[in-house]
Amino acid sequence: MTSLLLQITTGAPADTTALAEGATAAADSSVSLIDLALAGGWAMIPLAVLSLAAVYIFVERYLTLKKAAKNPEGFNDRIKSMVLAGDINGAKMLCAQTNTPVSRMLSKGVSRIGNPLKNIETSIENVGKIEISRLERNLASLATIAGAAPMLGFLGTVTGMIQAFIAIAQAEGSVSPQLLSGGIYQAMVTTAAGLIIGLPAYVGYNYLVTKIDNIVHNMEYSSIEFLDLLQEPQL
């Protein structure tokens, strides 16, 4: 019994030392993100530019759409009341004080009161098209980034594998893993980087498109309501 306890006691430090050495080796073998990025080669430079552009476009569009969607509470009702009361100047002033796509559309409609209804409708539609174009600004670029980033990553993968095969062809004798590591690193890192950039860009693009659809729906509803107002017998 005593000899068994002595064996366990003497064996414990060795096991602890082995675990510590394994942990140290694992820590030493870990690779930082900077090292991975550098291993990706030339393709990481355009991918970094695309990632910065995607972040900028998404943030800028998000803030713009958030501002465009904020219509003051009861804005349409106040415009309706002013128009019914004949206070056209008050309606124009209220639209001028409200910086939203809906207010700019209604402002054009209010300024055309007295003209044929078809002319008023055409004026509102033209302003609406301009506002939609402003809302969709740079969205095409974000969609392009969402598709181009993974393709650029795959291009880096192809060039990395080409480098690996060139190293195999030029090697004399046995091929060591270290000889192939550069090309394989580039192949895997660029693929991962392209997907990491492309997937969020694609999700962000669809999110912004959904917000634009909601704003456009509100614009259409407000314009139809305004045109219906102009056809009421009181006018």
Side-chain angles (χ1 to χ4, degrees):
M1 186 66 181
T2 304
S3 60
L4 179 61
L5 291 175
L6 289 174
Q7 290 177 3
I8 295 174
T9 304
T10 55
D15 294 340
T16 305
T17 303
L19 290 173
E21 291 177 353
T24 303
D28 293 339
S29 63
S30 63
V31 181
S32 66
L33 291 177
I34 296 178
D35 292 335
L36 284 175
L38 294 176
W42 64 268
M44 297 301 293
I45 297 176
L47 284 173
V49 174
L50 291 180
S51 66
L52 294 176
V55 171
Y56 171 78
I57 293 173
F58 178 81
V59 173
E60 188 271 335
R61 284 293 89 192
Y62 174 79
L63 295 177
T64 301
L65 296 178
K66 184 178 180 180
K67 183 179 179 180
K70 282 187 176 181
N71 230 26
E73 186 176 354
F75 174 77
N76 291 348
D77 294 335
R78 293 175 64 187
I79 292 293
K80 180 178 180 180
S81 300
M82 289 179 177
V83 172
L84 290 176
D87 187 8
I88 304 302
N89 290 330
K92 290 181 181 179
M93 186 175 299
L94 178 59
C95 291
Q97 293 173 351
T98 308
N99 186 22
T100 62
V102 171
S103 68
R104 286 187 283 271
M105 287 176 58
L106 296 186
S107 177
K108 179 62 70 173
V110 170
S111 65
R112 292 293 188 270
I113 289 179
N115 294 315
L117 187 63
K118 186 63 178 177
N119 293 344
I120 299 176
E121 182 179 358
T122 302
S123 299
I124 293 177
E125 287 179 355
N126 291 336
V127 174
K129 292 177 182 178
I130 295 174
E131 293 299 328
I132 292 174
S133 177
R134 289 176 178 173
L135 294 175
E136 294 178 344
R137 184 180 302 165
N138 292 330
L139 274 189
S141 299
L142 185 59
T144 301
I145 293 174
M151 295 178 65
L152 184 59
F154 292 146
L155 177 61
T157 299
V158 172
T159 57
M161 296 308 297
I162 290 174
Q163 291 179 7
F165 283 116
I166 290 176
I168 293 175
Q170 294 178 345
E172 296 181 0
S174 61
V175 179
S176 64
Q178 186 176 3
L179 185 65
L180 304 177
S181 61
I184 296 176
Y185 252 133
Q186 179 177 336
M188 297 298 100
V189 170
T190 54
T191 300
L195 293 175
I196 289 172
I197 297 169
L199 288 176
Y202 179 74
V203 173
Y205 169 79
N206 284 281
Y207 174 77
L208 295 176
V209 168
T210 302
K211 289 186 70 67
I212 291 176
D213 289 341
N214 293 334
I215 295 173
V216 171
H217 175 75
N218 187 31
M219 292 167 58
E220 292 175 347
Y221 175 80
S222 299
S223 62
I224 292 173
E225 191 178 47
F226 178 77
L227 292 173
D228 290 340
L229 168 65
L230 297 181
Q231 300 181 72
E232 293 185 3
Q234 292 88 333
L235 297 177

